[in-house]
Amino acid sequence: MFENFRKKLSGLFKGSAGSDEVLRKGDIENSVRDALLESDVSLETSERIIADLDNFLERPGKKVSQADLRDALRKSIKKILDENSTGIDILNPGKKPFVILFLGINGTGKTTTVAKIANYLKRNGKRVVVAAGDTFRAGAIEQLSLLCQDIGVNLIKHEAGSDPASVAFDAIDHARARNLDYVLIDSAGRMQTNKNLLEEMKKMKRVAKPDLTVLVLDAMIGQDAVYQAETFMKETSFDCIVLTKLDTDARGGAIITIADQLRKPVLFLGVGQGMDDIMEFSTEWYMDRVLPR
Ligand SMILES: Nc1nc2c(ncn2[C@@H]2O[C@H](COP(=O)(O)OP(=O)(O)OP(=O)(O)O)[C@@H](O)[C@H]2O)c(=O)[nH]1
Ligand SMILES: [Mg+2]
């Protein structure tokens, strides 16, 4: 994962760690900027990282070696991620049932992610029910039914075309009656242009009153994922992000932009189509992949 990003960043330190070659500030800025932009970090976020490096480079009387630069860049990226890291402990939410709503544009991986997280929670000994909140397409209910069958989790569904908020409501009732730990609600993919679906999404939030709203973003679209999230933010609120499809050749710099510009934590990464292909995001893990010490 993130191989290209890692190569781009390590290309900056060709002189090898430990080299005491003195680097020129202008050269550094340009090559760092190029490496970040080519890896899906936005211009705004790249400039912030470079400004941070500049502070470090401008310390009077200081010679900067490749190794210093590597450390400084690592610190700067890590700071952005740490400042916006989670604090959300999904396994110990402190409320029962804990209701999680999944939102996102068409095809980002919502339905798959709902099932993966249901599976993850179940494996951690939690009792879960899923709500087929995408009533827009009959295929979506069918898709989620198969996935839930696979992982052995109950699904509450109504027929296609029915009100998604009432499916959510029923699932929450079901969970309360059985003292379940979680309700995970799938929803229809919606474009920012589709007013009806946006209204429906707001109604779902009013009725289901989710404890956590997760925006699912597709890492393959790189920086556009951030624009998508900003569009969602204008319409509704969300608490955190699941970034999917990182097993593809997604460059992964979008994770830094998400933290810096959206100020939302990335909770999980989707790393494949299987039910186990999900992992908790951690800054340390990410840094070790993109800029190993
Ligand atoms: N490679 C890969 N594929 C994924 C991942 N997550 C989801 N997919 C695939 O992406 C496609 C769309 O996933 P869905 O879960 O149906 O996406 P959705 O957001 O529910 O789509 P709509 O309901 O149409 O809006 C499916 O083929 C999934 O198998 C991932 O992490 N990696
Ligand atoms: Mg879906």
Side-chain angles (χ1 to χ4, degrees):
M1 234 181 293
F2 311 131
E3 217 161 82
N4 286 332
F5 194 12
R6 180 165 60 247
K7 276 188 195 143
K8 285 256 153 40
L9 291 183
S10 43
L12 296 170
F13 313 107
K14 273 281 150 50
S16 86
S19 152
D20 56 2
E21 179 194 344
V22 179
L23 301 168
R24 272 205 308 276
K25 186 172 162 246
D27 293 346
I28 296 175
E29 285 183 1
N30 287 336
S31 48
V32 170
R33 185 181 298 106
D34 287 350
L36 293 174
L37 290 178
E38 284 166 18
S39 307
D40 283 343
V41 182
S42 72
L43 182 60
E44 198 180 323
T45 299
S46 301
E47 292 302 339
R48 208 171 337 265
I49 292 171
I50 287 165
D52 212 25
L53 283 182
D54 278 354
N55 288 335
F56 168 80
L57 296 172
E58 271 162 9
R59 264 187 271 163
K62 185 163 181 11
K63 286 186 179 174
V64 177
S65 70
Q66 304 266 10
D68 292 337
L69 176 61
R70 187 187 197 92
D71 276 356
L73 185 58
R74 211 184 135 91
K75 254 186 219 148
S76 169
I77 295 177
K78 193 170 175 306
K79 188 172 81 183
I80 291 178
L81 294 172
D82 281 343
E83 275 171 8
N84 302 288
S85 70
T86 155
I88 298 168
D89 181 2
I90 194 180
L91 287 177
N92 297 293
K95 177 179 173 278
K96 221 173 169 173
F98 191 72
V99 180
I100 310 180
L101 172 64
F102 293 79
L103 302 176
I105 300 272
N106 301 67
T108 51
K110 290 175 298 301
T111 304
T112 312
T113 301
V114 167
K116 283 176 179 177
I117 293 183
N119 187 43
Y120 167 90
L121 292 168
K122 189 181 172 210
R123 282 177 173 229
N124 281 280
K126 306 294 182 183
R127 296 170 70 218
V128 185
V129 67
V130 171
D134 180 358
T135 57
F136 198 62
R137 284 187 308 117
I141 303 173
E142 186 59 21
Q143 178 192 7
L144 195 54
S145 298
L146 291 173
L147 292 173
C148 285
Q149 241 170 48
D150 252 18
I151 59 174
V153 163
N154 270 340
L155 175 73
I156 303 298
K157 56 182 177 181
H158 293 182
E159 22 188 88
S162 59
D163 178 12
S166 83
V167 183
F169 199 77
D170 277 3
I172 294 168
D173 252 8
H174 175 99
R176 280 205 187 112
R178 290 161 186 79
N179 200 27
L180 303 187
D181 300 301
Y182 293 88
V183 177
L184 307 188
I185 309 170
D186 189 21
S187 71
R190 51 208 79 217
M191 306 301 286
Q192 46 271 46
T193 46
N194 194 325
K195 279 287 161 211
N196 282 344
L197 279 173
L198 288 172
E199 285 313 311
E200 184 191 281
M201 171 176 85
K202 290 176 189 168
K203 181 175 175 196
M204 178 91 105
K205 284 205 79 165
R206 279 198 308 274
V207 172
K209 295 191 181 59
D211 301 296
L212 190 75
T213 303
V214 177
L215 182 66
V216 179
L217 296 174
D218 177 343
M220 287 206 299
I221 63 167
Q223 285 197 49
D224 281 345
V226 178
Y227 302 132
Q228 258 182 28
E230 281 169 344
T231 310
F232 263 90
M233 271 169 147
K234 284 187 198 134
E235 297 291 339
T236 188
S237 61
F238 60 89
D239 305 297
C240 60
I241 286 164
V242 172
L243 197 61
T244 63
K245 310 189 191 178
L246 281 157
D247 52 307
T248 63
D249 60 358
R251 289 173 280 190
I255 290 178
I256 306 172
T257 313
I258 285 171
D260 183 47
Q261 283 177 232
L262 304 176
R263 311 226 147 243
K264 298 284 183 195
V266 174
L267 205 56
F268 285 97
L269 302 178
V271 293
Q273 295 184 295
M275 287 297 97
D276 290 324
D277 296 330
I278 188 157
M279 50 186 300
E280 288 166 68
F281 177 78
S282 95
T283 301
E284 283 301 326
W285 173 88
Y286 180 73
M287 291 311 302
D288 284 346
R289 247 133 220 95
V290 302
L291 195 53
R293 260 188 258 269

